[in-house]
């Protein structure tokens, strides 16, 4: 409304009406878009913060524009640029992949023995709301692969030992087979056959353990079946006792052991390995005791020896593959 004075001295009011529904709807739509963007930004921030890998956004001058929690833990809370990250890691900036290079999975060795898997992804982040004009930037992803490296080294060492272990029984069996083929060879056939049987059994155990390791790496499936430990354990001990004539084996199994559920093959294999280790690392003439315990519906079989024992720190890692 507006008051207008006319030439004759009188006054009148002018009323102007305008439809602003489109403006209101546009403002509402902008508000919805802004709310959606805030939600997306919050979701992205939550994903980045929840990632175990370190994620950085670095501009072409090496300034870190964004860092998630894993990155701040790696380089410290006051993470500002790549030079600061390099100092925190104990290396020089030259040891890190150059930002201009698209690098995937490059290994970076740290002085403290850790290994980092480093990947660079140069990209344009012009539409991303980061502080300042970032222009062409690089997304850096860093993963600590120290445990994987240690596992690979342990696996390589295991395979080296295994190749030696395989060579011994194969050489023995092959050699004795050649001896037995010689016409007129004066050998004690019974002793030779006993040695061949021993080495063949050793070879069988190595292959059996290898198959178990392979199944463990791909996901071991154990089929449950009822197992009477009162029958299984004495049979395995009797077999092992023939392999270790210098050792004494004692068995203490209560009559009330519950029926176990498991895979008989694996239970026998575990028990044989424990008995063989106990005999191998005990003094000749020592005693190995196998004890059974019942606790409600559960059953436990323990193999006890008088060997040198295992350090507590190492005992915690015994069930790591290839340790």
């Amino acid at each position: 409304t507006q008051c207008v004075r006319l030439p004759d001295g009188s006054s009148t009011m002018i009323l102007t009406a305008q439809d602003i529904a489109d403006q209101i709807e546009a403002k509402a739509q902008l508000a919805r878009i802004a709310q959606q963007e805030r939600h997306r930004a919050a979701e992205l921030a939550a994903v980045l913060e929840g990632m175990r890998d370190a994620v950085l956004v670095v501009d072409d001058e090496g300034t870190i524009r964004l860092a998630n929690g894993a990155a701040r833990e790696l380089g410290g809370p006051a993470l500002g640029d790549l030079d600061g990250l390099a100092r925190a890691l104990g290396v020089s900036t030259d040891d890190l992949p150059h930002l201009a290079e698209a690098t995937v999975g490059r290994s970076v060795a740290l002085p403290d023995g850790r290994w980092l898997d480093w990947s660079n992804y140069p990209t344009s982040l012009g539409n991303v709301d980061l502080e300042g004009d970032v222009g062409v930037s690089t997304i850096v992803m860093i993963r600590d692969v120290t445990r994987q490296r240690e596992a690979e080294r342990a696996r390589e060492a295991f395979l080296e030992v295994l190749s030696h272990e395989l060579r011994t029984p194969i050489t023995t069996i092959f050699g004795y087979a050649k001896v037995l083929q010689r016409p007129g060879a004066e050998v004690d056939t019974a002793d030779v056959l006993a040695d061949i049987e021993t080495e063949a059994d050793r070879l069988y155990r190595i292959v059996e353990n290898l198959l178990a390791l392979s199944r463990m790496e791909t996901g071991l499936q154990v089929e449950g079946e009822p197992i009477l430990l009162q029958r299984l354990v004495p049979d395995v001990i009797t077999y092992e006792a023939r392999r270790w004539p210098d050792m004494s084996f004692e068995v203490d199994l209560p009559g009330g052991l519950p029926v176990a559920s498991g895979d008989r093959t694996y239970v026998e294999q575990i028990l044989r390995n424990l008995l063989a280790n106990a005999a191998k690392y005990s003094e000749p003439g020592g005693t190995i005791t196998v004890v059974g315990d019942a606790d409600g519906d559960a059953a436990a079989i323990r193999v006890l020896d008088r060997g040198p024992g295992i350090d507590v720190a190492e005992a915690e890692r015994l069930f790591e593959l290839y340790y």
Side-chain angles (χ1 to χ4, degrees), residues 151 154-163 165-166 204-222 265-266 269-270 273 317-323:
R155 182 190 182 98
E156 291 171 0
F158 172 81
L159 291 176
E160 289 178 4
V161 173
L162 181 66
S163 63
E165 290 288 326
L166 284 170
Y204 169 78
R205 288 167 183 265
I206 293 173
V207 173
E208 192 178 45
N209 288 334
L210 268 180
L211 291 175
L213 283 171
S214 175
R215 295 189 190 106
M216 288 174 68
E217 288 186 318
T218 57
L220 183 64
Q221 298 294 325
V222 176
T265 300
Y266 289 134
Q269 185 178 1
I270 292 169
N273 286 343
R317 302 188 62 187
L318 283 182
F319 291 97
E320 293 181 19
L321 274 180
Y322 308 111
Y323 180 72

Side-chain angles (χ1 to χ4, degrees), residues 187-209:
V187 295
D188 189 330
T189 305
D191 288 343
V192 170
L193 292 177
D195 287 341
I196 290 177
E197 181 184 9
T198 300
E199 294 301 325
D201 178 71
R202 182 179 175 185
L203 186 60
Y204 169 78
R205 288 167 183 265
I206 293 173
V207 173
E208 192 178 45
N209 288 334

Side-chain angles (χ1 to χ4, degrees), residues 48-49 54-57 64-72 76 79 130:
L48 288 175
E49 288 299 315
V55 180
L56 305 166
V57 176
I64 296 174
R65 299 300 186 123
L66 184 147
N68 68 346
R72 294 191 297 273
L79 195 59
L130 295 177

